[in-house]
Structure formats: C-alpha cells, structure tokens
Amino acid sequence: MSVGMSLALRAKQPKQKRCDRCELYYPESLDKCDHCAELNNSQLAQLKAQHQETMEENTTFGKYLLFGAAIIGLLLLLSFL
C-alpha cells in the first residue's frame, strides 16, 4: 500500500475523540460516548476490566504471531544454506 493510499484511507475515517470517563474513542459527531453514556459506575468498571482483558489477549496473540514469523524466517534462512 502506498503512502498516498494510506493517507486517503485515513482521511475517510471519521474524526474521533477520547472519552474522559471510559478512556475509549468515539466519533466526534456524537454528543456522548456510545460506550459508557448509559452505564452506571459498576457497569463502567466491568467494561474497563473487559477491555483490559481483551487488550491482554491481543498482546498474547501478537507474541504468538511474532514467534511463528521468527520460526518461519529461520526455516527459510536454513533452506538457503
């Protein structure tokens, strides 16, 4: 993907701002955050915990992908020797 194409895709994305309450991003066109506007404090804490757990799972998955890529790279390197 070229730099121009990347900039064109980014320009099409709606502008977002970060919610002070839940710290997630939502479109600027909305008046209130669509994640936490109708949640009470206990539900908000549960949302934050669930989001943190999802982020940790994504990090673990990324480490597995990096490890797999390293093994494939090593096998390719050894196949040329």
Side-chain angles (χ1 to χ4, degrees), residues 2-16:
S2 69
V3 173
M5 190 74 150
S6 177
L7 292 174
L9 287 175
R10 178 171 270 177
K12 289 183 181 180
Q13 296 282 333
K15 301 290 182 193
Q16 294 191 349

Side-chain angles (χ1 to χ4, degrees), residues 47-58:
L47 174 71
K48 284 184 175 183
Q50 181 183 9
H51 180 69
Q52 184 65 30
E53 182 179 320
T54 302
M55 295 297 287
E56 289 172 3
E57 289 172 358
N58 289 346

Side-chain angles (χ1 to χ4, degrees), residues 24-53:
L24 297 175
Y25 289 94
Y26 67 97
E28 273 186 356
S29 60
L30 298 177
D31 293 333
K32 294 189 233 175
C33 176
D34 55 348
H35 302 289
C36 69
E38 301 190 10
L39 300 179
N40 61 26
N41 289 337
S42 64
Q43 292 171 329
L44 178 64
Q46 186 178 12
L47 174 71
K48 284 184 175 183
Q50 181 183 9
H51 180 69
Q52 184 65 30
E53 182 179 320

